[in-house]
Amino acid sequence: MAHSHSSSVNFFGSVNKVVYEGKNSTNPLAFKYYNSQEVIGGKTMKEHLRFSIAYWHTFTADGTDVFGAATMQRPWDQYKGMDLAKARVEAAFEMFEKLDAPFFAFHDRDIAPEGSTLKETNQNLDIIVSLMKDYMRTSNVKLLWNTANMFTNPRFVHGAATSCNADVFAYAAAQVKKGLETAKELGAENYVFWGGREGYETLLNTDLKFELDNLARFMHMAVDYAKEIGYTGQFLIEPKPKEPTTHQYDTDAATTIAFLKQYGLDHHFKLNLEANHATLAGHTFEHELRMARVHGLLGSVDANQGDPLLGWDTDEFPTDLYSATLAMYEILQNGGLGSGGLNFDAKVRRSSFEPDDLIYSHIAGMDAFARGLKVAHKLVEDRVFEDVIKHRYRSFTEGIGLEIAEGRANFKMLEQYALNNKSMKNESGRQERLKAILNQYILEV
Ligand SMILES: [Mn+2]
């Protein structure tokens, strides 16, 4: 089979390079809102949005669910083993180019099959990483992040860094060591930890404190090894409250921030926040982004959405304009995502099984976030919510409020103030009016 860039076989034969045609286009293979070179607030859409294609959902997932077999029609599935792994690289780079996607992301086990020993597994990885490096030389696509799959193989039944089995901890360490070498080799802008099975099912058999200590020890070792080999990408940790374990340790942004601070890791890590993980945690996506942002720890985003009627991690492509707008609002207020990006940790539905659905779904997600960016930019520019919030908290800009805000108040002086205060008046929060204004911006920007 063909392995060089120029002689690639054509896995998306019916698809030409996807271009921007504007909001009136009826071409399903064109962008309606994502115009990569359009400048918004001094940066192009491409620079703002930093879209990334997820290798696992797009090139590896076969549509299997707990009730049914594979459904996906993937022309590269005609190959097996390492030939399949190589064909996926060809398909991936063909798609990256056709969508002009600036980034991609993968777990180690998405790109190369496990061998019968760790050594053989690493050799398989080396072959594919070197093939990817060849493609990256002549392509504009970069690696947003890579990570280690430490949840699929049965050895991780009790977790990886939080396993009760020291041999498994050691194996996981070897895997992340290799992952950091891969990150350096491919110039990954970030390295991600998603705590696959880092959690527990019952306290009756779990030393919770020891597992948390071990998780922190593991992450410190990763930070030390990155330093040792000169890998300078940003470390990211991705919260999720449940699935696969009942209690995932990195439950949500607030819990993860507490963990990072408790163990002295907050200067080495930022958060990679996923929309569907936020909803599983009982939060909105924008809540998680805000929580990370105000702590200076907003690093990157897994752009997807859940189905509120199902309530599990459906990883759907993000098409909800409210969510995309409010997410982009947080990202703009953060001054962008730095080395992070918007990674489509999203999969087509099992019933959307044709190869072209992979293109339609990415266009849908990219257009939704492009629109969200434009609306959010206008909201920020017009100071729509900033002025409302500033006005709402104005009692803290003078008198007793200023004393509180500047840390000069104490209980005794506040009691004196309250005893002498003749009138106390609250004002409406006016959230319905604000939601109507948000609607006006979404519909009219
Ligand atoms: Mn998810």
Side-chain angles (χ1 to χ4, degrees):
M1 64 184 294
H3 289 155
S4 82
H5 202 183
S6 54
S7 60
S8 281
V9 288
N10 215 343
F11 286 113
F12 297 96
S14 58
V15 180
N16 295 316
K17 198 167 170 74
V18 178
V19 296
Y20 170 72
E21 291 186 3
K23 65 178 181 180
N24 295 320
S25 170
T26 54
N27 176 4
L29 290 168
F31 295 118
K32 318 302 182 296
Y33 298 99
Y34 178 60
N35 181 7
S36 64
Q37 294 313 307
E38 184 177 339
V39 175
I40 302 197
K43 281 202 291 189
T44 64
M45 276 197 178
K46 194 173 182 174
E47 291 165 335
H48 274 290
L49 295 165
R50 295 171 62 83
F51 288 127
S52 160
I53 295 180
Y55 210 88
W56 55 104
H57 288 313
T58 308
F59 306 109
T60 311
D62 61 8
T64 309
D65 71 11
V66 287
F67 300 101
T71 58
M72 296 299 162
Q73 296 169 3
R74 301 291 180 250
W76 47 89
D77 280 347
Q78 62 188 289
Y79 302 102
K80 296 275 174 270
M82 284 298 284
D83 282 340
L84 171 58
K86 288 172 187 171
R88 281 181 176 138
V89 177
E90 294 188 4
F93 278 81
E94 183 188 335
M95 187 173 161
F96 301 158
E97 268 180 33
K98 286 186 168 169
L99 284 168
D100 194 21
F103 294 101
F104 69 115
F106 63 77
H107 306 77
D108 46 7
R109 302 301 174 250
D110 307 330
I111 64 166
E114 286 202 60
S116 51
T117 62
L118 177 59
K119 194 176 168 192
E120 201 182 302
T121 300
N122 285 345
Q123 285 165 349
N124 288 348
L125 257 183
D126 287 339
I127 291 166
I128 300 301
V129 165
S130 131
L131 181 62
M132 282 182 166
K133 201 173 176 183
D134 278 349
Y135 273 88
M136 289 169 78
R137 274 194 196 102
T138 52
S139 155
N140 293 320
V141 74
K142 292 181 189 157
L143 185 56
L144 185 67
W145 49 260
N146 62 310
T147 185
N149 176 333
M150 301 191 292
F151 45 89
T152 301
N153 191 290
R155 76 176 66 88
F156 300 117
V157 63
H158 299 306
T162 63
S163 173
C164 50
N165 183 344
D167 286 353
V168 174
F169 185 103
Y171 192 101
Q175 204 175 320
V176 171
K177 175 179 176 289
K178 185 71 180 169
L180 292 170
E181 290 159 9
T182 300
K184 186 172 186 219
E185 180 71 10
L186 293 180
E189 304 215 356
N190 309 271
Y191 186 85
V192 167
F193 284 89
W194 169 59
R197 293 184 191 274
E198 312 293 27
Y200 71 93
E201 287 162 345
T202 172
L203 286 174
L204 301 180
N205 65 11
T206 300
D207 188 338
L208 184 141
K209 172 72 163 60
F210 185 74
E211 291 197 0
L212 285 170
D213 289 349
N214 263 359
L215 185 59
R217 281 190 264 270
F218 192 95
M219 287 179 175
H220 275 291
M221 287 184 217
V223 169
D224 290 346
Y225 188 66
K227 205 170 287 174
E228 194 180 324
I229 63 172
Y231 173 64
T232 55
Q234 173 67 49
F235 277 107
L236 298 171
I237 185 166
E238 179 173 332
K240 186 178 184 183
K242 55 192 170 190
E243 294 184 21
T245 71
T246 316
H247 305 269
Q248 296 280 120
Y249 287 129
D250 310 322
T251 295
D252 60 2
T255 310
T256 307
I257 291 165
F259 170 84
L260 292 173
K261 287 188 181 287
Q262 166 73 8
Y263 289 100
L265 286 159
D266 51 312
H267 298 297
H268 304 290
F269 280 77
K270 287 186 175 176
L271 302 189
N272 181 43
L273 293 162
E274 175 176 323
N276 205 163
H277 295 180
T279 48
L280 285 179
H283 299 307
T284 60
F285 189 21
E286 58 270 22
H287 166 91
E288 290 292 86
L289 296 170
R290 177 75 61 96
M291 190 60 79
R293 172 164 81 79
V294 300
H295 286 88
L297 292 173
L298 174 52
S300 198
V301 163
D302 269 7
N304 66 10
Q305 68 188 34
D307 186 327
L309 300 180
L310 293 177
W312 64 82
D313 197 16
T314 57
D315 286 342
E316 297 177 22
F317 273 86
T319 52
D320 181 328
L321 291 178
Y322 285 92
S323 178
T325 298
L326 294 174
M328 286 315 302
Y329 177 86
E330 296 302 325
I331 291 166
L332 288 176
Q333 297 284 29
N334 195 55
L337 289 171
S339 65
L342 297 176
N343 176 56
F344 289 114
D345 187 3
K347 59 188 172 197
V348 289
R349 298 304 84 197
R350 186 167 180 269
S351 49
S352 304
F353 47 75
E354 295 177 15
D356 284 3
D357 289 308
L358 290 174
I359 308 288
Y360 298 147
S361 57
H362 281 89
I363 291 173
M366 290 162 88
D367 272 341
F369 267 89
R371 184 77 187 145
L373 164 64
K374 273 190 123 161
V375 177
H377 173 72
K378 188 81 172 105
L379 285 167
V380 172
E381 199 175 54
D382 293 353
R383 295 187 52 84
V384 173
F385 302 125
E386 286 78 357
D387 284 346
V388 168
I389 291 169
K390 197 175 168 199
H391 184 73
R392 190 160 180 247
Y393 292 87
R394 69 189 183 284
S395 66
F396 287 93
T397 61
E398 58 185 5
I400 192 70
L402 191 62
E403 298 292 305
I404 294 168
E406 295 191 340
R408 289 188 297 271
N410 58 48
F411 271 12
K412 276 192 207 159
M413 74 186 264
L414 291 171
E415 183 193 44
Q416 271 313 304
Y417 180 87
L419 287 168
N420 296 327
N421 192 18
K422 298 282 181 291
S423 76
M424 194 193 316
K425 192 171 158 267
N426 274 313
E427 291 171 3
S428 168
R430 302 214 194 286
Q431 55 175 301
E432 295 81 4
R433 194 181 134 217
L434 294 171
K435 286 176 182 173
I437 294 171
L438 176 59
N439 275 353
Q440 280 182 292
Y441 272 76
I442 286 175
L443 290 167
E444 283 159 34
V445 163

